[in-house]
Amino acid sequence: MDRLDNTVRPYAWGSTTAIPTLLGTEPTGEPQAEMWMGAHPGAPSRTGRGTLAEVVDADPERELGAASVAKFGPRLPFLLKLLAAGAPLSLQVHPDLAQARQGYEDEERRGVPADAPHRNYKDANHKPELVCALTDFDGLCGFRPPAETADLLDGLGVASLKPYVDLLRAHPEDAALREVLTAVLTADPEEMSRTVTETAAACERLGGAYRPYADIAHHYPGDPGVLAAMLLNHVRLQPGEALYLGAGIPHAYLNGLGVEIMANSDNVLRCGLTPKHVDVPELLRVVRFEAGDAGVLRPEASPDGEEVYDTPTDEFRLSRYVLPEGTGVHDLTLPTPQILLCTAGTVRAGEHELRPGRSVFVPAHEKAEVSGTGTLFRATVRV
């Protein structure tokens, strides 16, 4: 197995302290948002044999296993991250596989440059993702029932919100959600900015359930995404709890440290809370206007101590082992590629000693014995 040397991405929304605290390093004062573990071309992990992308490219069947290559092609199908949000990320959705292929082919046919700021589809793949909290973790996930949002907005006492309140109380619910999101994102920018400013002031004054939206507005004053965010379920994950974000589900991470895993794609359609391009027609084509709860996931334990976060996605499978003192050796050998990440304690993986934030890549069929005391996340695929 290969010890991984991973890149930390300094996105502006990143926490300045969460990842350094986990790693036991001194903060630099700059945001440290995401640490990438995988073979993504944007920041592939480094090994003693070259970058992980180079290692996989040199012999895909040996590194990934024949079954993974047959199902997903000669590339690592997932990207594992440590994600540390110190401020809200953009409100966004991801396409399903058919939408991604169609969108990518359309933009390629029209000659939209790959690095164009208005380009929606960087590749032809979908991007389901899962985030598991390591600390208290705040996020937005999926539409809450429209009648509940109507009551929430009505309670603010902001006159310019009344048209949205009335729409949200109409039926059917999916049409109400579509109409309100469309109205928010296509409103006159100056009028919307005034409405958001009044809404933010009311949220600040009332606190309680309104507090998360006051905080969002503090980071994105006047942004229509603040109202779009109020259509969504606010959820606070406890350590060990997770959220699964399937295609078309609007979401945003607000604050906290977590382990994130996703299919290897860059396809994002934004709804707000960002200076980047918002393609409203394409967004409305992709969003699933379905109300429900946020769907908090808790791991399912197996007899060997593996705790699995079950999702419908084949490109990744995330689980963890919480290893108490004196549990002996666990054999984690699989016929599929693995990345093992320590998040607490000290875990020995083969010849490597892993402390928090350290990780290894395990090729398919490679012997993978672990021992020690701590928490170990395991990322692999379903074949």
Side-chain angles (χ1 to χ4, degrees), residues 92-96 98-100 103 120-121 143 178 181 246-250 267-270 279-289:
Q92 58 190 258
V93 296
H94 306 302
D96 64 26
Q99 291 165 338
N120 294 314
Y121 297 95
F143 292 107
R178 178 183 288 274
L181 184 62
I249 305 301
N267 288 326
V268 175
L269 290 151
R270 295 175 177 84
D279 185 335
V280 175
E282 186 65 13
L283 173 71
L284 296 175
R285 188 177 78 89
V286 169
V287 170
R288 293 184 180 177
F289 290 96

Side-chain angles (χ1 to χ4, degrees), residues 90-157:
S90 62
L91 191 60
Q92 58 190 258
V93 296
H94 306 302
D96 64 26
L97 192 54
Q99 291 165 338
R101 287 173 176 167
Q102 181 183 349
Y104 180 76
E105 290 168 3
D106 175 64
E107 291 185 327
E108 287 288 283
R109 185 171 55 251
R110 291 190 287 114
V112 181
D115 59 352
H118 62 284
R119 174 131 189 175
N120 294 314
Y121 297 95
K122 309 296 186 185
D123 52 69
N125 199 17
H126 62 165
K127 192 188 177 188
E129 59 189 50
L130 175 77
V131 64
C132 176
L134 295 179
T135 64
D136 288 351
F137 192 97
D138 283 275
L140 304 172
C141 179
F143 292 107
R144 71 158 64 85
E148 293 181 16
T149 300
D151 291 343
L152 189 76
L153 295 182
D154 204 21
L156 289 168

Side-chain angles (χ1 to χ4, degrees), residues 17-355:
T17 58
I19 288 178
T21 297
L22 184 73
L23 295 175
T25 59
E26 284 296 317
T28 64
E30 299 298 316
Q32 297 188 38
E34 295 180 347
M35 187 174 79
W36 289 21
M37 291 158 278
H40 191 286
S45 300
R46 297 169 295 278
T47 78
R49 299 186 284 157
T51 70
L52 190 53
E54 292 168 341
V55 168
V56 170
D57 287 345
D59 195 344
E61 286 215 2
R62 180 188 181 280
E63 303 299 332
L64 306 177
S68 181
V69 172
K71 188 166 186 175
F72 305 110
R75 64 190 185 95
L76 188 66
F78 63 83
L79 176 63
L80 185 67
K81 299 179 180 180
L82 281 173
L83 183 145
L89 283 67
S90 62
L91 191 60
Q92 58 190 258
V93 296
H94 306 302
D96 64 26
L97 192 54
Q99 291 165 338
R101 287 173 176 167
Q102 181 183 349
Y104 180 76
E105 290 168 3
D106 175 64
E107 291 185 327
E108 287 288 283
R109 185 171 55 251
R110 291 190 287 114
V112 181
D115 59 352
H118 62 284
R119 174 131 189 175
N120 294 314
Y121 297 95
K122 309 296 186 185
D123 52 69
N125 199 17
H126 62 165
K127 192 188 177 188
E129 59 189 50
L130 175 77
V131 64
C132 176
L134 295 179
T135 64
D136 288 351
F137 192 97
D138 283 275
L140 304 172
C141 179
F143 292 107
R144 71 158 64 85
E148 293 181 16
T149 300
D151 291 343
L152 189 76
L153 295 182
D154 204 21
L156 289 168
V158 175
S160 55
L161 293 178
K162 187 177 187 308
Y164 305 124
V165 171
D166 292 342
L167 282 172
L168 288 166
R169 287 181 173 151
H171 292 281
E173 288 190 344
D174 58 344
L177 290 169
R178 178 183 288 274
E179 286 191 45
V180 172
L181 184 62
T182 303
V184 166
L185 297 180
T186 59
D188 176 80
E190 289 188 10
E191 290 182 10
M192 177 52 62
S193 181
R194 286 194 292 272
T195 296
V196 171
T197 299
E198 289 182 52
T199 298
C203 288
E204 184 73 37
R205 183 178 69 256
L206 293 170
Y210 296 103
R211 171 57 55 191
Y213 307 104
D215 293 341
I216 292 169
H218 172 75
H219 290 283
Y220 297 98
D223 192 306
V226 174
L227 289 190
M230 297 190 76
L231 299 173
L232 307 185
N233 295 295
H234 172 252
V235 60
R236 168 163 283 193
L237 300 178
Q238 301 302 308
E241 295 179 333
L243 286 176
Y244 173 70
L245 294 314
I249 305 301
H251 61 278
Y253 304 142
L254 304 180
N255 186 270
L257 177 66
V259 174
E260 185 183 36
I261 190 167
M262 61 190 61
N264 220 340
S265 171
D266 282 333
N267 288 326
V268 175
L269 290 151
R270 295 175 177 84
C271 315
L273 310 183
T274 178
K276 295 181 180 179
H277 177 61
V278 177
D279 185 335
V280 175
E282 186 65 13
L283 173 71
L284 296 175
R285 188 177 78 89
V286 169
V287 170
R288 293 184 180 177
F289 290 96
E290 302 169 357
D293 63 34
V296 174
L297 281 178
R298 295 172 182 84
E300 299 176 9
S302 61
D304 68 351
E306 184 181 27
E307 299 177 340
V308 180
Y309 293 90
D310 191 33
T311 76
T313 297
D314 290 338
E315 282 89 344
F316 61 76
R317 178 184 183 274
L318 185 71
S319 61
R320 69 173 184 175
Y321 289 84
V322 180
L323 304 173
E325 188 172 358
T327 56
V329 175
H330 291 258
D331 186 352
L332 306 190
T333 306
L334 288 176
T336 51
Q338 303 181 69
I339 291 178
L340 305 179
L341 166 68
C342 177
T343 59
T346 302
V347 177
R348 178 160 289 279
E351 71 275 24
H352 303 289
E353 184 177 87
L354 302 182
R355 295 186 181 276

